[in-house]
Amino acid sequence: MATTELGAALRHWRDHVPPQAVGLPGGGRRRAAGLRREELSQLAGISADYIIRLEQGRATSPSPQIVEALARALRLTQNERAHLFRLAGLALPGPGMVPRHITPGVHRMLDRLAGTPVAVFDAAWNQLLANPLYTALMGEWHGDDRNGVWRNFLTPDHRVRQTPESRGALQASLVADLRRTAARYPDDPDLKTLIAELRRRSADFETLWESGSVGEHQAARKTVDHPSVGALTLDCDILNVAGSDLRIMVYSAQPGTEDADRLALLNVIGTQSLVG
């Protein structure tokens, strides 16, 4: 039983989010129409035990990262998110912080693109959300590898085919984009830590950072070597969400091509294996 306002609010929102509304299968025998704690745990990347302790009032001081993840998983509006931060005794992230809130409208748009690989990144290239087909296409990332800049400099073993020239161009583009983000959000401690660690651990990043270039990472055509369906050459488009600086990455294949057929096959076998 909830013993704090924070716990009661979390339980209320969880009970009023149907699983179908967040991309989870419905049906079966359920005591309530809303999300189970285990489902919220899966969506937010937070242990179910910690969610129980929050709802029961045994945990009362969640971090801003935890609150942001819960707001995103519960698909809260801006006002509801602000209320959740207040109940947790936290100030809303200020204008100098990288925005990480995904609005319900963006969630609904992604729901309608279930047959298209789509992921949402913040302005520092942290992956906030990916649909099952995107994960099936690109693989599932954890920890520091959820950041696209980190992955491209420090974890080179990924599925996108690259030449030395294309890899260099991508890295230069990402560093220029990250420098632009750092200027827009000077108060974000996670962003400062990311940049400091990249400068310390990657000589290539340090050289590019010292060049002082500022720019925006652009879309491209990419070939993905997938272990199950083979090579897919796809258009990778990046859409910017006005007012939040989120980046929506969308992969698509030209209709009627072998690439489109392979993507359709992956939509069947890849997402099934993820669900399994």
Side-chain angles (χ1 to χ4, degrees):
M1 185 125 183
T3 57
T4 64
E5 286 188 77
L6 173 62
L10 285 174
R11 178 62 184 269
H12 169 81
W13 280 318
R14 182 169 63 81
D15 284 346
H16 287 78
V17 178
Q20 299 93 328
V22 293
L24 295 174
R29 301 186 63 181
R30 306 178 71 95
R31 288 187 298 175
L35 293 175
R36 298 185 177 103
R37 292 187 180 101
E38 294 77 11
E39 291 168 334
L40 179 56
S41 169
Q42 173 189 343
L43 292 166
I46 301 166
S47 75
D49 177 69
Y50 189 66
I51 291 172
I52 291 171
R53 289 190 287 122
L54 283 172
E55 289 187 357
Q56 293 180 346
R58 294 186 289 117
T60 57
S61 302
S63 68
Q65 292 83 2
I66 291 288
V67 174
E68 195 73 83
L70 287 168
R72 192 159 54 240
L74 291 165
R75 302 196 176 189
L76 301 186
T77 65
Q78 290 283 14
N79 287 337
E80 290 168 338
R81 170 178 170 266
H83 184 55
L84 182 59
F85 268 87
R86 285 193 293 269
L87 290 178
L90 298 168
L92 270 174
M97 302 285 285
V98 174
R100 295 184 172 91
H101 179 60
I102 301 177
T103 64
V106 172
H107 276 292
R108 288 191 294 270
M109 181 177 66
L110 265 63
D111 290 341
R112 286 161 174 75
L113 294 172
T116 302
V118 184
V120 181
F121 295 81
D122 66 18
W125 290 104
N126 295 300
Q127 182 182 300
L128 304 178
L129 181 67
N131 69 1
L133 185 53
Y134 182 95
T135 303
L137 176 68
M138 304 302 295
E140 189 167 10
W141 299 316
H142 303 278
D144 292 330
D145 284 343
R146 291 179 66 84
N147 180 273
V149 186
W150 181 281
R151 195 170 58 254
N152 274 281
F153 280 92
L154 298 176
T155 313
D157 184 21
H158 48 80
R159 297 175 180 176
V160 176
R161 188 182 299 174
Q162 292 179 328
T163 64
E165 293 75 19
S166 66
R167 180 175 178 80
L170 173 61
Q171 289 182 335
S173 173
L174 285 171
V175 173
D177 190 289
L178 194 64
R179 177 178 285 281
R180 175 174 170 269
T181 295
R184 288 170 62 89
Y185 304 105
D187 301 328
D188 194 294
D190 292 335
L191 177 58
K192 291 179 180 178
T193 299
L194 171 67
I195 293 169
E197 280 298 296
L198 284 166
R199 296 185 69 178
R200 182 178 69 85
R201 298 182 59 167
S202 171
D204 290 339
F205 182 91
E206 172 68 6
T207 299
L208 289 167
W209 187 262
E210 285 297 315
S211 73
S213 62
V214 178
E216 187 173 1
H217 179 49
Q218 300 294 324
R221 191 162 173 80
K222 300 182 181 181
T223 297
V224 180
D225 290 313
H226 193 274
S228 298
V229 301
L232 304 93
T233 299
L234 306 170
D235 290 317
C236 174
D237 291 291
I238 300 170
L239 314 177
N240 292 314
V241 180
S244 65
D245 219 359
L246 296 177
R247 289 92 185 274
I248 301 178
M249 184 176 289
V250 183
Y251 282 92
S252 62
Q254 184 177 345
T257 62
E258 188 175 352
D259 298 306
D261 292 340
R262 289 180 175 177
L263 190 58
L265 176 61
L266 183 61
N267 194 29
V268 177
I269 65 172
T271 55
Q272 280 181 344
S273 69
L274 283 172
V275 172

